[in-house]
Amino acid sequence: PSNTTTHTASNKTSSSLEHKAKVHKQSLRIETVRLGVRSWAAILADAAAAKRRLEALTVAEQQRQDRQKARNELETAVYSIRSAVEDAEEEGSMSLVSTTEQRTEITDQCSAISHWLEDEADEDVDVDVFEEKRRSLTDSWAAISRRLDESRKRPSVVAAARKALSAARVNATGVWPKTKPWLSVEELEDLLEKIEETEAWLDEVEHKQAKADPTEEPIFLVADVTPRVKPIAALAARLHAKKEPARMNEVNVTVNATSIDDNVSSARLNEQQRPNNESTDGRHNDPSAWDEL
């Protein structure tokens, strides 16, 4: 009975161990890895990707620089125009070439752009926005600035032109007829005609400008004066530099006469040294022929 009990207990233990044993399964993934040098396709793909990233960075940096440049140009325009307006108002010339409404429009536009730059002009603002605001401001200021510049330069430029024309007239009518009698009447009359035409044009445009509204576009520009006076000054300079022509006929007659005398004297000397009965070509002549010479 004891053996039977032992065998039964052993069977139970074995059955219990077999019942507890478990099998664990796990799926495995197999990857193929190339050993050694990478394939050219992978290398080229990586290079292309790096190139695209570099190009994108370059474009982004260029856009940033363009945006910063446009912003700086707008800020500079606002500062320059505001300073010019203030300086002109201090010297009193601004009110002579612009109305109150025109000046107010410029100052208000400068203030509005300054506030926009401080509060709204972030990194997302496009370059075109900066450039459009700058063009609008400079166009508004350009007309006033041109009238202001013209009013400052016009008196001195017109005075210099009239002075040059007057000097040319004095030379053509009083000086050169005495000091340069070789200048023809036609040359002097041509110069005087051009002087009179230009002086008449100056008289006309100055008269119209004096009656015109100074806050409107000028009747004539300073740049219109020089092209009219410069040709006259050049013509007067050519006449002033013209030299007296040399008396070539009298000089030639004197030289030719001297040469003839020298040649005759030389010929007579040679004839006296030559035998009486021998000619220049070695032939004998009649001695009586020398007396005839």
Side-chain angles (χ1 to χ4, degrees), residues 167-219:
R169 178 187 293 277
V170 170
N171 285 331
T173 57
V175 179
W176 291 340
K178 298 177 181 178
T179 61
K180 294 179 177 293
W182 53 87
L183 295 179
S184 66
V185 175
E186 291 76 10
E187 290 175 320
L188 297 178
E189 288 181 350
D190 179 54
L191 176 61
L192 288 172
E193 182 179 353
K194 289 179 170 59
I195 292 172
E196 290 173 357
E197 289 177 357
T198 304
E199 287 179 336
W201 174 79
L202 277 175
D203 292 340
E204 180 183 359
V205 294
E206 278 199 299
H207 179 71
K208 291 181 179 179
Q209 185 64 55
K211 292 185 175 182
D213 185 354
T215 64
E216 300 295 335
E217 288 300 300
I219 301 299

Side-chain angles (χ1 to χ4, degrees), residues 70-71 73-74 77 109 113 116 125-140:
R71 181 189 180 100
E73 290 177 348
L74 178 58
Q109 197 170 359
I113 293 176
W116 178 80
V125 176
D126 192 72
V127 172
D128 294 339
V129 178
F130 290 105
E131 293 181 348
E132 177 59 30
K133 289 182 177 296
R134 179 179 59 83
R135 280 193 297 267
S136 176
L137 177 62
T138 53
D139 289 346
S140 300

Side-chain angles (χ1 to χ4, degrees), residues 6-20:
T6 302
H7 181 71
T8 303
S10 177
N11 290 337
K12 290 181 178 181
T13 301
S14 176
S15 177
S16 176
L17 291 173
E18 291 177 358
H19 180 72
K20 290 181 179 181

Side-chain angles (χ1 to χ4, degrees), residues 9-130:
S10 177
N11 290 337
K12 290 181 178 181
T13 301
S14 176
S15 177
S16 176
L17 291 173
E18 291 177 358
H19 180 72
K20 290 181 179 181
K22 293 182 178 180
V23 178
H24 298 278
K25 296 181 179 181
Q26 184 176 359
S27 299
L28 300 178
R29 186 176 59 184
I30 300 175
E31 295 181 356
T32 301
V33 179
R34 293 180 179 270
L35 300 178
V37 181
R38 296 175 60 198
S39 65
W40 276 110
I43 295 175
L44 293 176
D46 291 346
K51 182 180 180 180
R52 288 193 296 271
R53 289 194 297 271
L54 181 60
E55 290 175 349
L57 291 174
T58 302
V59 170
E61 177 61 19
Q62 186 62 50
Q63 291 175 346
R64 186 194 67 80
Q65 292 180 6
D66 292 343
R67 187 166 48 249
Q68 186 62 43
K69 179 182 178 182
R71 181 189 180 100
N72 292 341
E73 290 177 348
L74 178 58
E75 291 176 345
T76 301
V78 171
Y79 177 80
S80 299
I81 292 174
R82 180 177 287 167
S83 298
V85 171
E86 293 175 354
D87 293 342
E89 287 180 343
E90 288 180 1
E91 68 181 23
S93 58
M94 189 68 176
S95 59
L96 299 177
V97 296
S98 62
T99 63
T100 303
E101 292 77 11
Q102 291 171 341
R103 294 192 296 274
T104 301
E105 179 184 356
I106 291 294
T107 54
D108 289 349
Q109 197 170 359
C110 288
S111 299
I113 293 176
S114 295
H115 294 154
W116 178 80
L117 286 170
E118 294 176 359
D119 302 334
E120 303 178 30
D122 54 20
E123 296 182 356
D124 295 332
V125 176
D126 192 72
V127 172
D128 294 339
V129 178
F130 290 105

